[in-house]
Amino acid sequence: MTATTAPLLLGVRHHGPGSARAVRAALDAARPAAVLIEGPPEGDALLPLAADERMSPPVALLAHAVDDPGRASFWPMAEFSPEWVAIRWALDHGAAVRFIDLPATHTLAMAKDPTWEDGDGENGDGGDADDQRYGLRIDPLAVLAGTAGYDDPERWWEDVVEHRGTGAAPNGPPDGASGTRATHTGAGHDPIAVFAGLADAMTALRETYGHGGHDRDLVREAYMRLQLRAARKAHGDGVAVVCGAWHVPALAARTTVTADRALLKGLPKVKTEITWVPWTHRRLARHSGYGAGIDSPGWYGHLFSAPDRPVERWMTKVAGLLRDEDRIVSSAHVIEAVRLAGTLAAMRGRPLAGLTETIDAVRAVMCDGSDVPLGLIRDRLIVGDALGEVPERAPAVPLQRDLTRLQRTLRLKPEALERELDLDLRKETDAARSRLLHRLRLLGVAWGEPVAGRAGTGTFRESWRLRWEPELHVRVAEAGVWGTTVLAAATARAESDAASATALADVTALAERCLLAGLSDALPVVMKALADRAALDADVGHLAQALPALARSLRYGDVRSTDTAALAEVATGLAERVCVGLPPACTGLDADGAAEMRGHLDGVHTAIRLLPDTGDITGRWAGVLDRLAARDSVPGVIRGRAARLLLDDGRLPEDGAARLMGLALSPGTPPADAAAWIEGFVGGGDANPGGGMLLVHDERLLGLVDAWLTTVTAEAFTDVLPLLRRTFSAYEPGVRRTLGELVRRGPASGRTARPEATTPGFAPELDETRADAVLPLVRLLLGAAGADDDELLGAGT
């Protein structure tokens, strides 16, 4: 290394493959004794891990405050990041390597200090959001691109850097639109020249715009200059610095040690810990909020790794993806897309087809002009779903180590790509997986999201949607304050939530989550809090809202072999209080209150059917419904729903239902109230979906509705129409079509008068011989091969 190049300042764009190739070429040419990299010095001890064969980028340094793990910052690195290339070069060549940016102990403290502006859009986790909050730092690339006549900084950077060959890359990127190999990679090419040009450009920008708008940059650069002086004192002129191009002029500036130390005086501090964590390409994208500065990490990764002919190789990847999605893409499509991309680049004056040209070519040739397949290409290839890997010996909080052990034991590998997971809780491994996912959700680590499972699989099935995001490492660190294992932490968190909860519904939901997570040690605390809140809460709506969660908890307890006797006692007492207080609470309600109470009615009805029938709670509930159905002071939607629930449970004969409907639709009833009764009786709901089928199979009730509707006056019809549309629009298309046919033909006045063929597919009487034929199949599905018919019917119920 000559004196004219010392120290060697390599200004880069973070996560730029062209910068990464240029850095590698410059280091190969200069052979420095020490490499200094923009990053937190606390990470110096972790740098040797980068040489571990189990370390696979993208990865990130994660620094967090010990006392407040939620206060954290990331320094992500991909395979094509210049910083990662510099680290690997130094480790491979025996050079000293260090981070020289402002320590995380200061940056994390400054992030919470209102006297400091925070907005490092390069490495921190604030990114663009911080820029908007504190005043936008100038974008050097945008300024340079505009000066060069480009309206897109990304396209300008690709043309001048990413598509530029280097002397150290004999198989470098193609230089022309045809995709041929770069022609300026001869021995005479200077690998340092590109950095000198960028340094001159940044110097001119800083002379025009100052330091760019963030005072913290001045502090960071002062610290980096001090570290550079120390390195030169130890290694002489054999020092190379890899940092953001914006900082190069500041590092080359002549300042005094006293002036730099003055800028660092009085900085706030916080105790920090740092480690390597896996990262993803999705989190490298700018839109993720981490300010990495690139929109297309998958594309950049391809440019960095493709040894030659990157456009042809890219089009081959795209074709393979589309073929996997059953789209017809041939070799001819690939050839034509490459030609079109090259032609577009030549017409636009670009040295090589970039991402814009490849997208346009793929849309025209492989996607038939449609943007729909392009969405898949952007997601899978342009952004990508790569997830890095970190060796187990990397530092981690005890909770993270326990989680990693459980993930390995249960064969639940964290993946960046979203996937569905179906669990059968009768299998021990699946039950353990379910408990782990529920415990993590209780701790705020939302690795899995429950989704509706396959229809008809019963309570022994659970379905989850899994996706591991890098920030979940921060959530795990935050949850570490509750315990050193997932079980202990979830138990402590549940007990704390039970003590602090004020609403009854919150405690019942917590009890349900504890049962799902298998937190038997936390249940006594939660149950005591539940009993206390239930005893003090006199609001029937709150009681009705809390009961369904308790009933579900009892069902989950049966599935998971959990003792729920105490929970059943509380739930039964809650149900009894609802039975006493619900009838008076349903009088004098307006439309919104009636609609809300109808929802509570459905929830309580479903819940009571799941409770152990001690003290004939089911019979008491039926009496409540009977009173509600017959009480004129109760809103029509509640009276109709109560009548429907009684009918479905067999506690109200069909003649009785017809009588109640006739009264509700009599001429003396206001049309709006009558329409509300219809909505409650035949409308859908969680407890009784498919209300329209009742009218399909009972033409007597359909006739009453039809006769009432024909007598509504024109003035009143305008008022009741929205209610009726809301009721009947919830039916499935087939049900609405059948009802229309029945009304058009004119329904019979009674069920016995209905012709056999009135409703296609239904006979007037049950064919017991044909019905018995399905019983062997039902036994097989329910796993009750040896059960008799009565036991079979009970199991099905």
Side-chain angles (χ1 to χ4, degrees):
M1 181 178 291
T2 64
T4 58
T5 60
L8 180 60
L9 301 179
L10 305 179
V12 301
R13 181 192 185 186
H14 301 291
H15 315 306
S19 291
R21 287 193 300 268
V23 163
R24 185 166 54 194
L27 294 176
D28 283 338
R31 298 283 172 171
V35 179
L36 309 182
I37 299 171
E38 182 181 336
E42 293 92 342
D44 287 350
L46 303 179
L47 285 171
L49 288 175
D52 194 306
E53 61 181 10
R54 289 165 294 184
M55 176 79 88
S56 175
V59 293
L61 284 169
L62 164 62
H64 64 84
V66 174
D67 297 331
D68 183 10
R71 191 192 308 182
S73 285
F74 297 95
W75 286 261
M77 299 181 195
E79 182 184 13
F80 51 85
S81 298
E83 298 87 349
W84 181 259
V85 170
I87 292 171
R88 291 304 306 267
W89 187 94
L91 294 175
D92 292 342
H93 293 81
V97 56
R98 292 175 50 198
F99 288 120
I100 61 168
D101 203 351
L102 191 66
T105 185
H106 296 307
T107 58
L108 293 178
M110 292 161 65
K112 294 297 183 181
D113 191 335
T115 62
W116 287 95
E117 290 185 353
D118 182 24
D120 181 12
E122 295 171 345
N123 288 322
D125 64 348
D128 298 337
D130 286 332
D131 285 341
Q132 295 171 6
R133 184 166 70 246
Y134 293 111
L136 185 65
R137 166 198 279 175
I138 68 164
D139 184 350
L141 297 187
V143 176
L144 293 176
T147 304
Y150 284 74
D151 58 0
D152 183 359
E154 288 286 333
R155 196 170 77 234
W156 174 80
W157 183 262
E158 279 192 345
D159 286 353
V160 300
V161 177
E162 304 306 341
H163 297 163
R164 184 181 187 276
T166 65
N171 291 326
D175 188 60
S178 63
T180 57
R181 190 172 298 171
T183 58
H184 55 284
T185 59
H189 177 66
D190 183 6
I192 311 295
V194 63
F195 297 107
L198 284 174
D200 292 341
M202 294 302 166
T203 300
L205 286 176
R206 290 186 72 119
E207 289 175 352
T208 303
Y209 296 100
H211 66 276
H214 288 300
D215 291 339
R216 202 178 78 174
D217 280 348
L218 297 178
V219 178
R220 294 174 58 209
E221 290 162 354
Y223 187 87
M224 285 192 277
R225 284 193 295 267
L226 291 175
Q227 298 304 303
L228 178 56
R229 291 189 185 99
R232 295 187 69 183
K233 185 176 181 180
H235 301 282
D237 291 333
V239 177
V241 180
V242 178
C243 64
W246 181 255
H247 302 301
V248 169
L251 298 186
R254 294 183 177 273
T255 61
T256 65
V257 174
T258 302
D260 287 340
R261 286 178 176 171
L263 287 173
L264 299 172
K265 186 177 180 180
L267 292 180
K269 289 185 177 181
V270 64
K271 187 178 180 180
T272 61
E273 292 181 348
I274 193 167
T275 186
W276 287 108
V277 296
W279 205 250
T280 67
H281 274 179
R282 297 183 189 280
R283 281 296 182 255
L284 283 171
R286 178 185 291 126
H287 66 263
S288 68
Y290 284 83
I294 55 173
D295 294 313
S296 48
W299 165 254
Y300 273 11
H302 169 77
L303 287 181
F304 183 75
S305 60
D308 59 0
R309 309 184 75 85
V311 176
E312 290 87 337
R313 294 177 182 274
W314 178 258
M315 293 300 185
T316 303
K317 283 185 179 180
V318 173
L321 175 63
L322 294 177
R323 287 168 183 159
D324 290 342
E325 298 298 321
D326 295 329
R327 294 188 65 89
I328 301 176
V329 179
S330 65
S331 300
H333 286 91
V334 176
I335 295 172
E336 185 59 30
V338 171
R339 289 176 178 172
L340 179 56
T343 301
L344 290 173
M347 294 175 62
R348 296 169 180 174
R350 305 194 65 183
L352 177 71
L355 182 59
T356 303
E357 286 70 34
T358 59
I359 289 177
D360 291 343
V362 168
R363 179 191 290 112
V365 177
M366 299 184 186
C367 300
D368 300 323
S370 172
D371 284 337
V372 175
L374 280 180
L376 178 67
I377 295 171
R378 287 191 180 96
D379 184 65
R380 298 282 185 86
L381 294 181
I382 297 176
V383 174
D385 50 26
L387 174 63
E389 186 176 356
V390 172
E392 293 182 5
R393 60 193 182 98
V397 297
L399 182 62
Q400 177 66 63
R401 293 194 177 280
D402 184 60
L403 174 58
T404 302
R405 178 187 62 82
L406 291 172
Q407 289 170 335
R408 183 170 57 251
T409 301
L410 300 176
R411 298 188 296 278
L412 274 179
K413 183 179 180 181
E415 295 176 345
L417 186 63
E418 185 177 282
R419 69 185 181 99
E420 297 282 343
L421 177 67
D422 291 325
L423 301 179
D424 184 345
L425 301 181
R426 293 169 294 185
K427 300 177 180 178
E428 181 54 36
T429 299
D430 282 1
R433 290 173 174 174
S434 173
R435 289 192 293 269
L436 173 62
L437 293 173
H438 281 294
R439 289 169 184 173
L440 291 176
R441 278 176 56 81
L442 198 148
L443 288 170
V445 183
W447 177 21
E449 184 71 22
V451 296
R454 294 172 293 178
T457 53
T459 58
F460 288 99
R461 296 282 182 178
E462 267 188 0
S463 293
W464 292 82
R465 184 178 294 113
L466 302 182
R467 172 183 259 176
W468 185 265
E469 301 286 5
E471 63 266 25
L472 293 181
H473 290 284
V474 178
R475 304 285 83 80
V476 173
E478 286 182 298
V481 301
W482 298 105
T484 57
T485 66
V486 175
L487 174 59
T491 299
R493 177 64 183 272
E495 293 175 349
S496 175
D497 289 349
S500 61
T502 57
L504 178 60
D506 293 340
V507 186
T508 55
L510 181 60
E512 180 179 12
R513 296 174 70 181
C514 287
L515 282 171
L516 292 171
L519 303 179
S520 55
D521 291 342
L523 271 179
V525 178
V526 176
M527 293 308 304
K528 183 179 183 303
L530 177 58
D532 293 342
R533 302 298 187 280
L536 296 175
D537 201 327
D539 190 311
V540 175
H542 292 169
L543 300 177
Q545 186 179 6
L547 185 59
L550 292 181
R552 289 194 303 268
S553 299
L554 291 172
R555 179 182 61 172
Y556 294 138
D558 292 339
V559 174
R560 298 164 189 270
S561 302
T562 305
D563 185 9
T564 57
L567 188 64
E569 183 179 348
V570 174
T572 302
L574 209 62
E576 292 175 349
R577 294 178 60 190
V578 170
C579 290
V580 173
L582 191 61
C586 289
T587 59
L589 296 175
D590 59 11
D592 293 337
E596 181 180 358
M597 191 59 71
R598 172 199 165 178
H600 292 328
L601 202 68
D602 283 343
V604 171
H605 185 75
T606 302
I608 285 180
R609 288 190 293 182
L610 297 175
L611 296 179
D613 196 10
T614 57
D616 194 26
I617 188 66
T618 304
R620 294 188 60 184
W621 175 246
V624 171
L625 294 177
D626 190 59
R627 291 196 299 273
L628 291 176
R631 185 172 295 182
D632 293 339
S633 59
V634 173
V637 67
I638 298 178
R639 287 188 283 118
R641 174 54 72 187
R644 175 61 187 276
L645 296 178
L646 289 170
L647 177 65
D648 289 348
D649 281 356
R651 294 180 178 270
L652 179 66
E654 293 183 1
D655 290 342
R659 183 182 64 82
L660 290 176
M661 178 178 281
L663 293 174
L665 303 183
S666 63
T669 304
D673 195 28
W677 195 96
I678 293 175
E679 181 183 11
F681 187 77
V682 298
D686 294 337
N688 292 282
M693 293 303 296
L694 178 64
L695 298 180
V696 170
H697 295 298
D698 195 330
E699 295 187 30
R700 176 173 41 182
L701 298 180
L702 179 59
L704 290 172
V705 175
D706 185 40
W708 167 78
L709 190 58
T710 58
T711 61
V712 174
T713 63
E715 295 78 6
F717 185 78
T718 304
D719 296 330
V720 302
L721 182 59
L723 293 175
L724 295 175
R725 284 196 67 176
R726 184 172 61 191
T727 300
F728 288 95
S729 64
Y731 297 163
E732 294 183 356
V735 174
R736 293 200 301 268
R737 183 170 55 252
T738 302
L739 289 175
E741 294 175 354
L742 292 174
V743 172
R744 178 175 55 82
R745 287 200 299 264
S749 59
R751 180 178 298 274
T752 57
R754 181 174 58 192
E756 181 177 342
T758 298
T759 304
F762 291 91
E765 300 294 340
L766 175 67
D767 188 339
E768 295 185 1
T769 302
R770 297 183 64 188
D772 290 341
V774 305
L775 291 179
L777 178 59
V778 175
R779 289 191 181 94
L780 179 62
L781 294 175
L782 295 177
D788 58 25
D789 292 347
D790 292 338
E791 292 175 339
L792 189 62
L793 291 175
T797 304

